[in-house]
Amino acid sequence: MKLRNRNIEQLHSDAFDVLIIGGGINGAATAAALSGKGAKVALIDRGDFAGSTSMHSSNLVWGGIKYMESKDFSLVRKLCKSRNHLIENYPSTVQEIRFLTNITRGFRHSPRYLWIGTWLYWLMGNAFTQRPRLLSPKDIKREEPIIGIEDSIGGFEYSDAYLHDNDARFVFNFVRHALNYGAIAANYVESLGAEREGDYWVTKARDVMNGETFDIRAKVLINAAGPWVDQHNALTGQKTTHQHLYSKGIHLVVPQLTDTKRVLAFFADDGRLFFVIPMGNRTCIGTTDTHMEHPEVEVTAEDIDFVLENINKRLTLDKPLGQEDIISTRCGVRPLAIKSDQGSDRDFLQLSRKHVVDTNADSAHISIFGGKLTDCLNVGDEIAEAVAELGVELPDQDFRWYGEPPNAVKQQFMDHAKRMNLDAMTATTSSEPLSSRLWRRYAEQAMPMLEKIRQDPAEADILIEGTEYIRCELEHARDHEMITQLEDFLRRRAKVSLVVHHEQLRQSKGLREACRVLFGEEADQRFEAYFAAHRDTAQPYVPKQEVTT
């Protein structure tokens, strides 16, 4: 909380080149790009960073193979290059993964036709990943026994990428980069609207935690509010060439269905791609695609029935998945960019997730519509160009604002970890060595953790039962990751609440201790507030069940 409080004080007193409204992937990447290139940047979000669409994705970084069917080849080419760029620059976090797709009798295309499409997709991605494969029904059953092949006419396998950690963690790391570059960021700060006064936008802001209001002054205002871009534009009187449609998607997290590290892809009853995605010792299944009139959504019984019905039709499990198998749910909207004069009667199933940068040069206002995780580096660079055109000086235009540290820094970390025999301290229940885990999540910021562990090996002890989080990670989160509410840690900096049963968390002595680390004297209050606000979406859990997070 100290970091957040210091930053709010600076929001009060400083004037900025740019104020960014919204800390999802668009706002976070924009903050990192602009601050890295030398602009004086402020970033606020009325909730936590990545608190909406950016924490409800499929955790996939993909080139948009589904847009091949609509022949949007330029978008596919762009997204494939973006995917490759992320894999190259975040090798510990964004990793290639195979997709195995089963085609059933009566589908609109044959497996061979689709397989040829995957070759075109592979070539459009510069042959960066492993080659596609054509599979017979027997091949599919041999490699993935849980797939039902009674109606199968074959399938294919191709590559895209996924996030080793959760999507919200990936977004926060851009916020962390921005802070390192000098940006001032604060979560739980709401914009109540803004007006142009001379050379500055004056935004009326409210600290959600205590209700206090104050003004933030900035030369350029960037609306990166995700699904709420249109609503905030209404507050500031902005007319734009684009607007949003909303498509709701949900996922269910269930016990691990297969131990193979690949995504199983099917075509759901509505014709859309449907995934079975590995999530450590869990499996994430979905998604739905439901047109919504507004961005505030929740999981319904119909949503759950749709996902369970589709997955049980396509897998041959010993026991069909039911409500009792659901550990947690994910639910959010995809903000889909359309021209303002096109109306809301478009077929949203055919709309892409492309982003649009809508600039009003007269008022120095930028709105970001659409977007997705895969395209985030392009968003950052494009906004930097747009801000420069509005007259904001960027002293370090060519600065590389993204990516993991150089290999030399990683090698220094690994050498230090090896000298202190860090990996020998890895818990037997953990899914990977401590050195790999700490580097992937924190990069060079993990160096002080090594020193803490060297001085006191108890700092490497797992604090919350059934997870992999060690004591010094919690201390780091308290000091550097702006944990304001318990959910910020459980759901976004980590993915604990996605993969650990709700009731297991409530009974966890380790979580009580983690709250004391994170919140000090307010630990019990934050613990009780979290469980009062979050209902149990899981069925009774089995004690001593180990998971990896």
Side-chain angles (χ1 to χ4, degrees):
M1 291 291 285
K2 291 181 180 178
L3 173 60
R4 178 178 180 273
N5 292 340
R6 287 199 304 269
N7 283 0
I8 288 180
E9 287 179 8
Q10 288 189 258
L11 290 175
H12 280 260
S13 58
D14 292 2
F16 298 91
D17 292 325
V18 175
L19 171 63
I20 302 165
I21 309 293
I25 187 58
N26 288 339
T30 294
L34 290 174
S35 55
K37 292 174 182 290
K40 190 173 183 180
V41 174
L43 169 68
I44 61 173
D45 194 294
R46 68 178 180 180
D48 189 27
F49 306 117
S52 183
T53 295
S54 293
M55 74 171 186
H56 294 301
S57 77
S58 298
N59 276 9
L60 300 177
V61 177
W62 60 322
I65 193 171
K66 68 178 182 179
Y67 306 133
M68 297 285 290
E69 189 172 15
S70 58
K71 297 181 175 58
D72 197 347
F73 298 128
S74 62
L75 177 62
V76 173
R77 169 71 172 160
K78 182 179 181 181
L79 291 176
C80 281
K81 291 171 66 177
S82 300
R83 175 204 63 197
N84 298 350
H85 202 41
L86 286 172
I87 293 173
E88 288 178 321
N89 286 281
Y90 294 93
S92 301
T93 301
V94 182
Q95 299 170 348
E96 181 178 347
I97 192 169
R98 299 295 272 175
F99 284 62
L100 190 156
T101 305
N102 182 43
I103 305 300
T104 55
R105 189 171 291 106
F107 188 67
R108 57 185 180 270
H109 300 302
S110 72
R112 189 170 295 276
Y113 177 85
L114 295 171
W115 176 63
I116 293 171
T118 62
W119 273 88
L120 179 58
Y121 183 65
W122 179 69
L123 291 170
M124 292 177 72
N126 295 337
F128 184 83
T129 60
Q130 297 179 59
R131 294 180 180 182
R133 291 196 302 148
L134 183 65
L135 302 170
S136 69
K138 288 183 179 179
D139 293 332
I140 294 171
K141 194 66 176 179
R142 182 179 66 254
E143 298 193 21
E144 287 290 350
I146 66 169
I147 295 179
I149 62 168
E150 291 77 11
D151 294 325
S152 176
I153 55 175
F156 53 91
E157 186 182 62
Y158 68 99
S159 288
D160 261 312
Y162 82 119
L163 295 172
H164 195 292
D165 280 315
N166 62 320
D167 44 12
R169 177 79 208 180
F170 183 68
V171 172
F172 179 77
N173 282 338
F174 283 106
V175 177
R176 185 67 258 172
H177 278 307
L179 291 168
N180 292 345
Y181 301 147
I184 302 301
N187 52 3
Y188 298 97
V189 174
E190 180 182 14
S191 167
L192 302 177
E195 292 183 352
R196 189 76 183 174
E197 296 183 5
D199 294 333
Y200 284 87
W201 279 98
V202 179
T203 300
K204 180 69 70 177
R206 182 177 75 91
D207 185 338
V208 174
M209 301 305 295
N210 60 23
E212 292 183 2
T213 59
F214 55 94
D215 292 340
I216 306 174
R217 298 174 63 82
K219 297 174 184 175
V220 176
L221 186 63
I222 298 178
N223 182 355
W228 292 275
V229 164
D230 295 305
Q231 288 87 330
H232 195 272
N233 280 339
L235 288 177
T236 56
Q238 291 296 306
K239 301 295 184 182
T240 57
T241 60
H242 288 78
Q243 65 183 46
H244 276 144
L245 291 183
Y246 308 109
S247 172
K248 181 175 76 168
I250 79 150
H251 297 85
L252 307 181
V253 179
V254 299
Q256 189 174 23
L257 300 180
T258 174
D259 58 5
T260 57
K261 191 177 177 180
R262 72 158 53 98
V263 176
L264 308 185
F266 308 92
F267 288 93
D269 291 346
D270 64 1
R272 298 281 282 188
L273 280 168
F274 187 83
F275 299 115
V276 174
I277 304 165
M279 185 183 278
N281 300 24
R282 302 302 193 206
T283 296
C284 181
I285 55 176
T287 179
T288 58
D289 214 330
T290 309
H291 185 203
M292 304 299 293
E293 295 297 328
H294 51 78
E296 292 80 15
V297 294
E298 61 181 16
V299 179
T300 66
E302 291 77 11
D303 295 329
I304 292 174
D305 289 344
F306 175 87
V307 174
L308 291 177
E309 181 181 357
N310 272 276
I311 199 61
N312 286 325
K313 281 182 181 179
R314 289 156 178 81
L315 301 182
T316 55
L317 304 173
D318 293 336
K319 175 180 172 292
L321 287 173
Q323 293 267 357
E324 69 279 4
D325 296 302
I326 300 171
I327 296 166
S328 63
T329 61
R330 316 179 80 180
C331 177
V333 294
R334 307 168 186 88
L336 304 170
I338 65 167
K339 290 285 187 69
S340 296
D341 58 5
Q342 288 181 316
S344 59
D345 58 349
R346 297 284 308 282
D347 180 5
F348 69 96
L349 291 176
Q350 298 301 317
L351 292 175
S352 74
R353 296 286 302 280
K354 67 182 179 182
H355 71 267
V356 176
V357 176
D358 197 315
T359 303
N360 185 334
D362 293 337
S363 61
H365 185 281
I366 298 173
S367 302
I368 309 174
F369 292 92
K372 58 188 298 180
L373 291 169
T374 308
D375 214 18
C376 62
L377 302 186
N378 291 326
V379 170
D381 282 334
E382 288 176 28
I383 296 296
E385 290 178 9
V387 166
E389 290 175 1
L390 292 176
V392 174
E393 183 181 0
L394 300 179
D396 302 311
Q397 274 277 14
D398 297 327
F399 179 75
R400 182 177 174 275
W401 54 273
Y402 51 83
E404 294 181 14
N407 285 333
V409 178
K410 180 178 181 179
Q411 192 58 52
Q412 181 185 5
F413 172 85
M414 290 300 178
D415 288 345
H416 191 175
K418 186 176 181 180
R419 285 194 299 271
M420 59 186 288
N421 203 18
L422 177 70
D423 289 345
M425 304 180 195
T426 306
T428 56
T429 55
S430 295
S431 63
E432 61 182 328
L434 259 179
S435 59
S436 299
R437 171 184 171 73
L438 293 180
W439 176 260
R440 188 187 72 254
R441 289 179 60 80
Y442 309 103
E444 73 274 23
Q445 291 200 334
M447 290 289 193
M449 296 187 200
L450 295 186
E451 183 58 23
K452 280 190 173 184
I453 294 170
R454 189 189 66 79
Q455 294 181 9
D456 180 6
E459 291 285 342
D461 291 345
I462 289 178
L463 197 56
I464 305 173
E465 310 93 294
T467 76
E468 297 187 38
Y469 288 90
I470 60 177
R471 181 175 294 274
C472 65
E473 285 186 88
L474 271 295
E475 295 168 353
H476 176 87
R478 175 196 63 206
D479 296 337
H480 301 287
E481 297 192 345
M482 224 173 291
I483 306 296
T484 304
Q485 305 279 21
L486 181 54
E487 186 188 18
D488 302 341
F489 172 73
L490 290 179
R491 178 63 179 82
R492 287 178 285 276
R493 307 301 181 271
K495 59 182 179 185
V496 173
S497 62
L498 279 177
V499 297
V500 179
H501 284 276
H502 185 84
E503 189 59 28
Q504 183 177 355
L505 284 175
R506 186 193 295 274
Q507 297 177 20
S508 169
K509 293 180 180 178
L511 181 57
R512 291 275 188 180
E513 175 61 19
C515 283
R516 285 190 283 274
V517 172
L518 292 171
F519 303 116
E521 294 180 354
E522 297 182 358
D524 290 341
Q525 174 189 338
R526 299 302 174 89
F527 183 94
E528 297 302 333
Y530 173 81
F531 286 100
H534 295 82
R535 63 186 179 86
D536 187 359
T537 58
Q539 298 299 315
Y541 79 101
V542 179
K544 298 182 181 179
Q545 186 173 14
E546 298 292 349
V547 299
T548 58
T549 56

